[in-house]
Amino acid sequence: MNLKKGDQIKMLSGKDRGKTGLVLSAREGKVVVEGLNLVKKRKRPTQQGKTGETVLLPRAVDASNAALVCKNCKKATRVGFRAEGSLKIRYCKKCEAPN
Ligand SMILES: [Zn+2]
């Protein structure tokens, strides 16, 4: 997987296609993106006399449905990896800038 926490991504499919957001967590090929792919969850009242409420929570989407937005050229892009010394550098395939 090419995405990690803190990345700016653009959704490529689903109801939020074309929208961008920040990756909140990334694991097992899936990412949770702030404000995207929201689902309504109903919370039960925890105290007597209070009513339950609905909250919107982001649901994990498959990482292949999200593209990284390059910090340099600001485009949704695919990424590659190259070795620089002992470091593995992720770079933008459009402008070659490290990301
Ligand atoms: Zn770029």
Side-chain angles (χ1 to χ4, degrees):
M1 184 166 71
N2 298 324
L3 300 171
K4 56 185 197 286
K5 192 177 171 183
D7 281 345
Q8 188 81 20
I9 60 94
K10 186 172 196 174
M11 285 302 300
L12 302 177
S13 68
K15 62 178 171 142
D16 288 322
R17 185 188 322 181
K19 292 185 191 169
T20 56
L22 206 66
V23 175
L24 298 177
S25 82
R27 59 179 188 151
E28 288 164 15
K30 285 181 175 278
V31 289
V32 177
V33 185
E34 186 178 34
L36 296 187
N37 199 34
L38 296 174
V39 290
K40 274 186 186 142
K41 289 276 177 191
R42 280 150 199 100
K43 267 169 87 174
R44 294 195 157 272
T46 48
Q47 287 171 317
Q48 230 176 14
K50 280 197 174 172
T51 55
E53 51 182 336
T54 48
V55 287
L56 288 168
L57 292 172
R59 241 185 125 237
V61 293
D62 201 276
S64 63
N65 292 330
L68 182 73
V69 176
C70 174
K71 289 179 202 123
N72 184 51
C73 63
K74 310 285 177 206
K75 286 178 200 151
T77 183
R78 289 182 300 130
V79 291
F81 287 90
R82 66 176 173 233
E84 279 181 18
S86 59
L87 286 172
K88 206 166 107 181
I89 305 282
R90 189 176 66 172
Y91 68 96
C92 168
K93 285 221 172 178
K94 284 182 178 157
C95 69
E96 306 271 304
N99 258 280

